[in-house]
């Protein structure tokens, strides 16, 4: 397991700064997720840690050792990419053995590590197959297995599930979480999918244009976002944002309310409105409302809706569930 520390790390491409000076500490055995929109710098930051990109300033420490200028192959890290990058002419066993053979490891040791890893990933029955004979999820498990056999100090995942369909993403997400529990290894995971971030992470690092907006547990980010960027990015459906006189009445430039913290009430409620659209999702329903006072609102309800499109209804927020933000988008406590 690796303790990783970034001190003032930065990255420039010519005159363009994509990662301004940034500090971050990752504990041993922690599962940390970098999340943010496209262009937020999350993959670049991962590649800086891996040594695939040269930093423009600052220091990278792994297990107390300065590795800022250390070649990627000597950092003791293993990386799993979005593409499986498996050798099509090799069997699963040969793909997993390849990095160990290149390192000059003894055949008996290689066989032992492959058997152990295949058992962890449920790949034993596929060891003699080639990648073309495997499903997408099985190929990704092979790519992860090729990383595990090296016994790295930390695992780096760069959007490893984005090429899979929705059902496979869900099952592979669980596989990676179970793997973390088994190996108790330090893992850094990059994704643009906030659902992956919320379900997998011990802590989430929310990035925006190379800057860290907030670091915290999924629950901390969801319940106490430090600014509007985090409030908007974390949570689906996204937080309802209300400005104007309604926000001013709460002493804020903008207020936010999570969809599950809005209630449909008898009468006008706090914000009367009209039902414009209803999304039926089985276990829950999203009711889209247009309010003259509060604008467009989404109400999350359990089960089937009690209203229909065109109904005039009243909406009220739950007590204590209004997030307040100043005119710069920073949270007011």
């Amino acid at each position: 397991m690796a303790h990783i520390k970034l001190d003032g790390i930065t990255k420039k491409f010519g005159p363009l700064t994509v990662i301004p000076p940034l500090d971050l500490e990752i504990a041993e055995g922690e599962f940390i997720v970098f999340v943010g929109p496209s262009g937020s710098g999350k993959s670049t930051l991962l590649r800086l840690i891996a040594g695939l990109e040269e930093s423009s300033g600052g220091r990278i420490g792994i297990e107390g050792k300065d590795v800022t200028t250390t070649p990627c192959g000597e950092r003791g890290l293993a990386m799993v990419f979005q593409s499986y990058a498996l050798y099509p002419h090799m069997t699963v066993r040969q793909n997993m053995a390849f990095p160990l053979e290149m390192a000059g490891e003894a055949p008996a040791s290689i066989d032992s590590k492959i058997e152990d890893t295949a058992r962890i990933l449920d790949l034993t029955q596929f060891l003699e197959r080639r990648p073309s004979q495997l499903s997408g999820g099985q190929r990704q498990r092979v790519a992860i297995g090729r990383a595990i056999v090296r016994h790295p100090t930390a695992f780096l995942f760069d959007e490893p599930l984005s090429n899979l369909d929705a059902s496979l993403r869900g099952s592979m997400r669980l596989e990676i979480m179970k793997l973390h529990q088994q190996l108790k290894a330090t893992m850094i995971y990059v994704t643009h999918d906030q659902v992956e971030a919320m379900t997998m992470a011990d802590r989430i690092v929310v990035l925006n244009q190379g800057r860290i907006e907030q670091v915290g547990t999924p629950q901390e980010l969801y319940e106490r976002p430090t600014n509007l960027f985090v409030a908007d990015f974390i949570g689906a459906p996204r937080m309802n944002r209300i400005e104007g006189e309604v926000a001013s009445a709460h002493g804020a430039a903008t207020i936010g309310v999570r969809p599950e913290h809005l209630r449909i009430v008898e009468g006008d409620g706090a914000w009367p409105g009209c039902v414009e659209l209803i999304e039926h999702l089985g276990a829950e329903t999203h009711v889209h409302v247009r309010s003259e006072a509060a604008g467009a609102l989404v109400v999350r309800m359990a089960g089937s809706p009690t209203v229909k499109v065109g109904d005039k209804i009243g909406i009220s927020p739950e007590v204590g569930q209004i997030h307040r933000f100043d005119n710069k988008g920073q949270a007011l406590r």
Side-chain angles (χ1 to χ4, degrees), residues 79-268:
M79 195 157 181
V80 179
F81 296 93
Q82 179 177 337
S83 61
Y84 316 126
L86 301 176
Y87 297 107
H89 63 288
M90 292 184 179
T91 63
V92 168
R93 182 186 299 276
Q94 291 168 333
N95 266 283
M96 292 171 66
F98 185 75
L100 301 178
E101 291 171 347
M102 292 297 97
E105 195 152 333
S109 175
I110 293 175
D111 288 341
S112 176
K113 287 182 178 179
I114 289 174
E115 294 296 335
D116 289 345
T117 300
R119 187 166 54 252
I120 291 171
L121 295 173
D122 196 23
L123 288 172
T124 303
Q125 66 269 42
F126 304 114
L127 284 175
E128 306 312 320
R129 294 190 187 181
R130 287 184 166 79
S132 61
Q133 299 171 300
L134 304 176
S135 69
Q138 289 164 347
R139 287 181 219 171
Q140 191 57 279
R141 293 213 302 274
V142 175
I144 294 170
R146 191 172 51 190
I148 292 174
V149 295
R150 294 174 52 198
H151 289 183
T153 56
F155 292 85
L156 311 181
F157 295 90
D158 191 5
E159 303 207 46
L161 308 185
S162 58
N163 285 340
L164 304 179
D165 61 38
S167 62
L168 266 179
R169 279 203 306 272
S171 61
M172 279 303 302
R173 190 166 67 227
L174 292 175
E175 292 295 329
I176 294 173
M177 292 166 69
K178 289 177 184 176
L179 183 63
H180 178 249
Q181 292 174 355
Q182 285 180 278
L183 300 180
K184 303 188 185 309
T186 304
M187 293 187 175
I188 307 175
Y189 188 102
V190 163
T191 182
H192 64 276
D193 186 336
Q194 59 95 16
V195 175
E196 281 185 17
M198 292 289 287
T199 55
M200 299 177 79
D202 294 327
R203 285 192 305 152
I204 297 172
V205 178
V206 181
L207 289 159
N208 178 25
Q209 296 182 339
R211 294 178 174 84
I212 294 178
E213 295 286 353
Q214 189 172 356
V215 180
T217 67
Q219 207 64 23
E220 286 171 348
L221 269 59
Y222 192 78
E223 295 178 353
R224 296 183 296 280
T226 59
N227 56 42
L228 277 171
F229 181 87
V230 177
D232 283 343
F233 196 83
I234 299 296
R238 67 192 299 176
M239 181 182 285
N240 293 291
R241 291 175 58 169
I242 304 163
E243 299 173 344
E245 292 182 5
V246 171
S248 297
H250 290 272
T254 304
I255 62 170
V257 186
R258 296 287 183 194
E260 65 271 24
H261 295 147
L262 287 178
R263 294 287 177 262
I264 296 176
V265 298
E266 292 185 8
D268 288 343

